Amino acid sequence: MHSNYNLFYTFDGDQPAHFQEARVFGTTVWTAAGAAMTWGAETRKDYASEAEAQAAYVAHGEAALADGYILARAMVIDPAVFDFALLQTLVAQAARLAFDCVRRVHPDQHIDAFALVSDDSAMTIGCMANSSEALVASEYGEEMLWNPAEWAFDDGGAYFDSAYRLLLQAHRGLPFDVAFATFRAGVFDACIAALAQLDAEGCFGTGAQRNQTVLLFEVSDSEPVEGALARLNPPAVVARFEAWMASWAD
């Protein structure tokens, strides 16, 4: 059963601050609201007919607009199909903004590492960044460079809220018929593809500058995604990682 969905935001500057979302399927209207990058509080109400449910769904959207929210996405959802192309687009947009945000907020730092981070259930999405100065100051040495959880900066995380909302449809008990293995693999691939897209556009520098910048996709508490490091980085960065790994065998 296809359903209608919409997502609204208020903003702090250009970053999402609070969200409202609604989905109608059959005679049920589901809503959620809260601060950006949180699960939020959700409601679910059944109506006597699909027409009444649709009217309530429309009324919710009108109320959100009246409260000063801005419509960010309106779409029809097929529970048997997950829109990985849309996810890649949303992640690429968010990553570009987040990377620029880190550089803007920390102008005295040479930002030379950027990572997208998810979890084993593909429910979350966020970013981390690091600088050459933070790496030098770290007690962990080169090990810090390959562990985004230890990086210094997480500015711009709210930019990822729209992508996060897209992922949550698989985790909220809503109609969703995509096999988990397909969903998980597709989400991770979309995140990697988004970073690769930005890299191809020169977002992380070119030439010698790019050879000094590390791009990673990390799945917390899980094994690395095979091939991701080489897919995201030039040979100089891959060689640096391999040298670090080899140092552990000495």
Side-chain angles (χ1 to χ4, degrees):
M1 176 189 302
H2 289 61
S3 57
N4 291 320
Y5 170 87
N6 57 33
L7 172 64
F8 300 86
Y9 286 118
T10 61
F11 290 87
D12 180 4
D14 67 343
Q15 294 193 47
H18 292 87
F19 74 91
Q20 287 194 35
E21 55 186 335
R23 184 167 168 178
V24 57
F25 42 95
T27 59
T28 300
V29 174
W30 170 88
T31 67
M37 299 306 293
T38 70
W39 185 271
E42 59 184 306
T43 66
R44 195 179 301 242
K45 185 173 180 179
D46 294 322
Y47 291 84
S49 68
E50 291 187 8
E52 288 186 32
Q54 185 66 33
Y57 169 78
V58 171
H60 176 275
E62 292 173 344
L65 293 172
D67 287 341
Y69 283 77
I70 297 171
L71 179 65
R73 185 163 76 244
M75 61 189 296
V76 176
I77 295 177
D78 179 349
V81 178
F82 185 82
D83 195 339
F84 294 110
L86 174 58
L87 177 64
Q88 180 180 332
T89 296
L90 294 173
V91 171
Q93 291 171 345
R96 182 192 302 278
L97 291 168
F99 187 66
D100 288 344
C101 178
V102 171
R103 292 189 297 183
R104 184 174 64 252
V105 173
H106 305 283
D108 59 332
Q109 301 284 308
H110 294 86
I111 305 300
D112 60 0
F114 187 78
L116 295 182
V117 182
S118 187
D119 62 276
D120 198 48
S121 62
M123 186 174 71
T124 58
I125 178 69
C127 63
M128 295 296 294
N130 207 44
S131 67
S132 53
E133 291 84 359
L135 182 63
V136 169
S138 172
E139 62 182 292
Y140 300 105
E142 185 79 356
E143 181 180 358
M144 180 196 195
L145 182 61
W146 310 107
N147 292 277
E150 303 297 331
W151 290 1
F153 312 114
D154 62 357
D155 307 89
Y159 290 120
F160 290 89
D161 190 83
S162 187
Y164 175 52
R165 300 286 145 217
L166 199 63
L167 298 183
L168 285 183
Q169 68 176 290
H171 300 280
R172 285 193 179 272
L174 296 165
F176 190 78
D177 300 327
V178 179
F180 174 71
T182 300
F183 171 73
R184 181 181 184 275
V187 167
F188 294 168
D189 187 71
C191 291
I192 295 167
L195 281 179
Q197 172 190 330
L198 295 183
D199 189 27
E201 295 171 3
C203 182
F204 305 106
T206 59
Q209 180 187 11
R210 180 63 188 89
N211 286 335
Q212 297 298 317
T213 301
V214 172
L215 286 185
L216 298 176
F217 174 69
E218 171 114 333
V219 181
S220 59
D221 300 320
S222 186
E223 294 297 316
V225 177
E226 185 175 355
L229 180 74
R231 185 175 169 186
L232 292 174
N233 292 281
V237 173
V238 175
R240 183 176 179 180
F241 174 75
E242 291 174 346
W244 174 71
M245 289 292 289
S247 71
W248 284 89
D250 296 339

